[in-house]
Amino acid sequence: MESARPGVDLSPMSAADQLLSEFWWPTAHAGDALGDSPGGSRVPVRHQSTSWVPLHLSFVEAMRPPWLEEDNALVMMPLADCKDLLGEPLVVGKGSGRQIPLVVHGRHGIAFAFDLGATLEQMLFARAFTERRPLISYLPFHYHRIPPRVRASLGKMLRGTLYSGKRRSAYPQWPIEPSVEVLRWLWYQTRKLEGHREPPVPFWPEGRRYAVVLTHDVDTAQGQENIRRLADLEEAHGLRSCWYVTGRHYVLDYDLLQALLRTGHEIGLHGDTHDSTLAFGSAETIRKRLEACREPVSRLAMKGFRSPYFFRTRTLLREVEQQFMYDSSIPDTGSFLGAGTGCGSVFPLAVGGLQVIPTTVPPDGALLADSWTPEEIIELWLRKIRWIKAVGGVAVVLTHPEPEMSARRDMVDAYGAFLQRLKADQDAWFALPREVARHWRLRGRETSWHATSMS
Ligand SMILES: [Zn+2]
């Protein structure tokens, strides 16, 4: 049986296969429950340091991703052991003076020159976590205690290399990282060329092409006071959003927050004290700190978590999994600390049994601290969202209602104009993060499959 299987090796049902099946639309296989994957099995153990090879890909027409644009066509791949394959090359990678046939039509069908599943897993998880504790997490006080002017230059220093050429080739690339989506596309096209005809399972409901999720991190009491400024704007456009508040950092305004819930918004947890050390504690410490937020979590019906500063470790996410339905602490690329960190994908993914919805639109704070104007920020957001729409992913927007961030008069105006542009798009599914998490989990049931269903 094994030797008769042509082309891409899709069996047995490994963790990597599951990743692929979740993103594309293989045969429905009732009874193969989602979440049954043993906890943590999809997260590979710590990766060896990998050299990421930047490649310009050339495709035969049937394999070309229609959304791959000239200016973001650089694909980064961890190509440790690439096989030499005989046959007609369908996709060729060019880089570092080499030409590597990546996908080949050979005697036994279509084959990848590399282990597709392992490569994809590495792309998703090699940079997904904050492995090294950043210097800023050692600051003995909250960042809001630093005067805004000093904070801005400190931020610039910390991010120094974000937009410089030096890190432009780092994985994941900022602000758009196409590599993961390119691999999935190749896998899907390969199956079509091999004659598989599974009925498609759409990514999103209601025939929408992509999802849009509005979120806010409320870092301080002042931020909480400004919530209505942004909430009013959203409601005026018929939109709702998720507000991640801290559990124990400022006095929560339950009247305000419960009124938000009643009008259809969502409230999530943004750490306990927003002090930047949470992710780096022991499992027990993290558990205790999260449990200490039990009251607001239950009174505000919180289902989701976003870590302060986007600091996230495997230990943190394992603890989050115990108490929440989803997490949104992993960016697809970049955070305020710059490029070279993130899961490289604009689709939800599973970390152990936890649903992760990556934050995929560059957050307001880092851009403002880096002196971007509101107009430039909106332009960048729309550019990123256009790309997310093209690949069919989820656009997760993050703004802070803090006085020096999106509660600034000029940013409020720009946000209003931005919402108006977004709202006009009939292809967008506007949803709360908990709705996206739920939808993706249910969709996973429809798309899970066994190797046996494919022969
Ligand atoms: Zn924050």
Side-chain angles (χ1 to χ4, degrees):
M1 268 303 275
E2 275 308 301
S3 58
R5 187 180 301 281
V8 199
D9 180 16
L10 290 163
S11 78
M13 183 74 169
S14 70
D17 292 335
Q18 289 186 37
L19 276 173
L20 289 166
S21 76
E22 270 188 9
F23 289 108
W24 296 114
W25 38 59
T27 340
H29 188 96
D32 184 24
L34 76 137
D36 282 2
S37 61
S41 71
R42 293 186 196 181
V43 188
V45 282
R46 210 164 292 253
H47 287 287
Q48 309 297 328
S49 68
T50 308
S51 60
W52 295 79
V53 187
L55 297 169
H56 281 284
L57 302 190
S58 57
F59 308 85
V60 296
E61 207 44 45
M63 298 293 270
R64 178 188 307 282
W67 35 258
L68 196 65
E69 293 159 13
E70 204 45 53
D71 64 338
N72 54 44
L74 196 65
V75 166
M76 305 283 295
M77 292 183 63
L79 286 177
D81 37 19
C82 226
K83 287 172 288 194
D84 273 327
L85 295 177
L86 291 176
E88 179 207 352
L90 302 181
V91 182
V92 176
K94 294 174 198 155
S96 12
R98 287 194 298 165
Q99 291 222 17
I100 311 166
L102 295 171
V103 186
V104 164
H105 199 165
R107 255 189 332 140
H108 300 292
I110 300 174
F112 283 71
F114 52 95
D115 183 330
L116 177 62
T119 304
L120 188 48
E121 274 198 359
Q122 190 147 11
M123 287 170 146
L124 289 172
F125 294 115
R127 302 275 161 82
F129 301 98
T130 325
E131 299 292 4
R132 265 176 308 168
R133 189 173 164 180
L135 281 178
I136 191 180
S137 75
Y138 291 95
L139 284 180
F141 44 80
H142 192 266
Y143 81 95
H144 276 95
R145 303 263 301 275
I146 310 170
R149 214 172 276 269
V150 181
R151 203 187 306 155
S153 46
L154 192 70
K156 244 177 229 174
M157 218 174 67
L158 284 168
R159 291 187 321 279
T161 52
L162 175 51
Y163 312 107
S164 73
K166 189 175 153 222
R167 295 201 64 174
R168 195 158 289 155
S169 61
Y171 180 87
Q173 303 168 79
W174 189 94
I176 289 173
E177 175 50 76
S179 308
V180 171
E181 322 312 347
V182 167
L183 287 201
R184 284 206 204 96
W185 173 266
L186 294 181
W187 182 80
Y188 176 60
Q189 289 304 102
T190 300
R191 289 184 56 73
K192 283 213 296 198
L193 288 176
E194 285 183 326
H196 292 279
R197 290 285 177 268
E198 302 93 342
V201 179
F203 289 135
W204 308 109
E206 303 163 13
R208 309 293 175 138
R209 285 185 54 183
Y210 69 116
V212 174
V213 174
L214 303 175
T215 72
H216 312 273
D217 289 353
V218 186
D219 292 350
T220 68
Q222 276 176 299
Q224 183 176 241
E225 284 166 23
N226 291 326
I227 282 180
R228 288 283 7 146
R229 300 184 73 172
L230 300 182
D232 287 345
L233 259 185
E234 290 166 354
E235 290 173 18
H237 288 93
L239 298 169
R240 300 292 184 269
S241 62
C242 181
W243 305 81
Y244 295 95
V245 300
T246 59
R248 308 178 62 201
H249 181 44
Y250 43 84
V251 179
L252 290 172
D253 183 343
Y254 280 100
D255 289 342
L256 169 76
L257 298 172
Q258 279 165 340
L260 282 173
L261 287 178
R262 280 195 299 276
T263 46
H265 294 261
E266 175 183 341
I267 312 287
L269 190 70
H270 189 38
D272 54 351
T273 64
H274 205 286
D275 73 335
S276 84
T277 65
L278 180 65
F280 307 102
S282 67
E284 198 190 339
T285 309
I286 295 173
R287 192 173 316 140
K288 280 190 181 142
R289 289 181 63 172
L290 292 180
E291 277 170 1
C293 302
R294 199 172 275 160
E295 193 195 333
V297 166
S298 104
R299 283 180 70 183
L300 297 167
M302 295 183 187
K303 296 277 180 270
F305 180 84
R306 179 181 285 141
S307 184
Y309 308 93
F310 284 104
F311 291 159
R312 69 279 170 188
T313 55
R314 289 174 170 80
T315 313
L316 174 68
L317 263 61
R318 267 192 293 272
E319 293 307 318
V320 168
E321 182 183 342
Q322 302 307 313
Q323 300 184 43
F324 295 88
M325 173 184 154
Y326 76 89
D327 173 86
S328 190
S329 306
I330 304 182
D332 66 327
T333 174
S335 56
F336 83 103
L337 284 175
T341 171
C343 62
S345 168
V346 294
F347 285 87
L349 64 154
V351 174
L354 182 66
Q355 194 72 69
V356 171
I357 305 171
T359 301
T360 55
V361 177
D364 57 349
L367 299 171
L368 286 167
D370 202 48
S371 309
W372 288 54
T373 66
E375 291 70 30
E376 288 168 338
I377 292 174
I378 300 311
E379 202 183 302
L380 173 70
W381 288 356
L382 290 171
R383 182 183 149 214
K384 179 72 181 273
I385 292 172
R386 270 193 297 276
W387 188 79
I388 293 171
K389 172 178 174 173
V391 299
V394 53
V396 178
V397 180
L398 162 57
T399 50
H400 295 71
E402 304 298 326
E404 77 281 16
M405 297 193 219
S406 287
R408 264 169 50 172
R409 185 73 257 162
D410 56 351
M411 270 304 284
V412 173
D413 292 343
Y415 188 59
F418 168 71
L419 293 181
Q420 192 157 7
R421 293 277 297 277
L422 270 188
K423 192 63 213 295
D425 190 354
Q426 298 296 316
D427 291 326
W429 181 49
F430 293 95
L432 298 171
R434 65 157 194 260
E435 293 170 331
V436 168
R438 186 167 178 278
H439 167 76
W440 206 258
R441 192 155 279 230
L442 291 174
R443 184 183 177 276
R445 286 187 187 159
E446 289 181 63
T447 53
S448 42
W449 46 270
H450 282 304
T452 50
S453 66
M454 312 209 343
S455 36

